Amino acid sequence: VPGGLPTEALIAQVIVAKFGDHLPFYRQAEIYARQGIQLDRATLGNWAGRACFHLKPIADQMRGHLAAAERLFMDETTAPVLDPGRGKVKKGFFWAIASDDRGHGGQGPPIVLFHYAPGRGGEHAERFLQGFGGQFLQVDAYEGYDRLTRLERPQGPWLLVHCWSHLRRRFVKLARNTKSPIAEAAVRQIATLYAVEATVRGMTPQARLAARQQYSTPIIAALKPWFEKQLSMISSGSKLAEDIRYGLAHWEGLTRFLG
């Protein structure tokens, strides 16, 4: 900071408190005031802005690593944003793009980048992923990601990989709340897939693929007709039917891990 007194350590403290601990600048200013240090929140904001400018090359380097990754994870979550003049906050969204293959024998660095957007529409995901060369995108079942499967890219459209944890938690909740034997059976069958993964975690992609094709493929082959049979025997308006339809509607993404 030209002509300024703060050390790099103090500026790091300010931006970690702001973005990591969610302490607004006015609260930080009050904390410093209790220690006899008068710092206007505009000054703290100026420091943070300058720090972000100097950190941008690091973010660009991280983005370059992510852009070269074959498989990415993406998710979004709400973020309260000050709305001056209204005396309240409005809803914004943080979008996370991550790559972490440490649990799968990967050698690349774990990386997560956050982007802010005023909304949750799929157009934001498309914008944040511009220039990325990956093929597989691990996401939840939010329909906003569907537009990525229709993009014209040199690598072809994104292939969505859906998450078994999202499906499993539905049946876990049902089994806990309703004691449904069908929900309990679904949890047990999904557990067999988890058991296969536990035996190959950290191994090479070739070893994991071989185990999935040998052990997980027969489980999946039996699970889908089992779901369809249960669906035909229960009330179509029940929560159980809704959860089974959720799984069947995303079956392609749920089973993409087999290949």
Side-chain angles (χ1 to χ4, degrees):
V1 179
L5 296 175
T7 63
E8 293 88 342
L10 177 57
I11 295 176
Q13 165 64 32
V14 170
I15 61 176
V16 169
K18 164 70 172 173
F19 298 109
D21 301 327
H22 310 291
L23 278 175
F25 291 136
Y26 79 90
R27 289 184 181 173
Q28 293 192 54
E30 292 171 353
I31 293 171
Y32 288 119
R34 288 202 301 267
Q35 303 175 55
I37 303 170
Q38 300 302 318
L39 287 174
D40 189 88
R41 63 180 179 177
T43 299
L44 299 177
N46 177 275
W47 291 354
R50 290 176 180 271
C52 289
F53 171 81
H54 289 291
L55 289 170
K56 189 176 183 301
I58 298 177
D60 291 342
Q61 181 79 353
M62 294 168 67
R63 189 182 189 280
H65 276 287
L66 281 175
E70 183 180 8
R71 182 181 62 83
L72 294 170
F73 168 87
M74 195 171 195
D75 199 8
E76 79 291 332
T77 189
T78 57
V81 182
L82 292 176
D83 194 6
R86 296 181 62 213
K88 57 180 67 176
V89 297
K90 58 185 178 181
K91 184 186 294 185
F93 287 85
F94 275 128
W95 293 71
I97 308 174
S99 175
D100 185 358
D101 287 333
R102 289 176 297 176
H104 310 294
Q107 300 301 313
I111 295 174
V112 57
L113 281 182
F114 290 91
H115 295 274
Y116 171 77
R120 196 190 180 199
E123 66 273 13
H124 300 298
E126 180 179 342
R127 175 165 56 88
F128 295 145
L129 290 172
Q130 281 183 352
F132 278 58
Q135 184 180 16
F136 299 100
L137 190 66
Q138 184 178 348
V139 294
D140 59 24
Y142 170 50
E143 60 187 13
Y145 293 114
D146 292 346
R147 66 186 289 151
L148 301 176
T149 66
R150 301 186 292 271
L151 290 181
E152 294 185 3
R153 305 189 309 150
Q155 307 85 352
W158 287 97
L159 298 176
L160 302 186
V161 181
H162 290 118
C163 178
W164 279 94
S165 293
H166 283 83
L167 178 60
R168 177 183 178 275
R169 72 178 59 158
R170 289 170 170 258
F171 295 118
V172 169
K173 186 176 181 180
L174 265 180
R176 183 182 299 124
N177 295 339
T178 69
K179 308 302 180 184
S180 163
I182 296 177
E184 291 176 355
V187 173
R188 287 195 300 270
Q189 293 185 69
I190 294 173
T192 61
L193 292 174
Y194 278 51
V196 174
E197 292 300 308
T199 65
V200 294
R201 186 169 294 116
M203 292 187 180
T204 64
Q206 294 79 10
R208 287 182 289 117
L209 178 61
R212 289 170 176 174
Q213 291 181 340
Q214 182 176 355
Y215 302 111
S216 300
T217 297
I219 299 172
I220 293 291
L223 188 55
K224 184 178 183 182
W226 183 83
F227 273 139
E228 293 170 337
K229 180 180 179 181
Q230 307 311 311
L231 192 59
S232 69
M233 297 189 300
I234 61 178
S235 169
S236 62
S238 66
K239 185 68 172 67
L240 178 58
E242 176 188 326
D243 293 342
I244 292 176
R245 285 195 296 266
Y246 170 94
L248 293 174
H250 300 94
W251 201 251
E252 184 178 11
L254 286 168
T255 58
R256 194 154 266 145
F257 78 102
L258 294 176

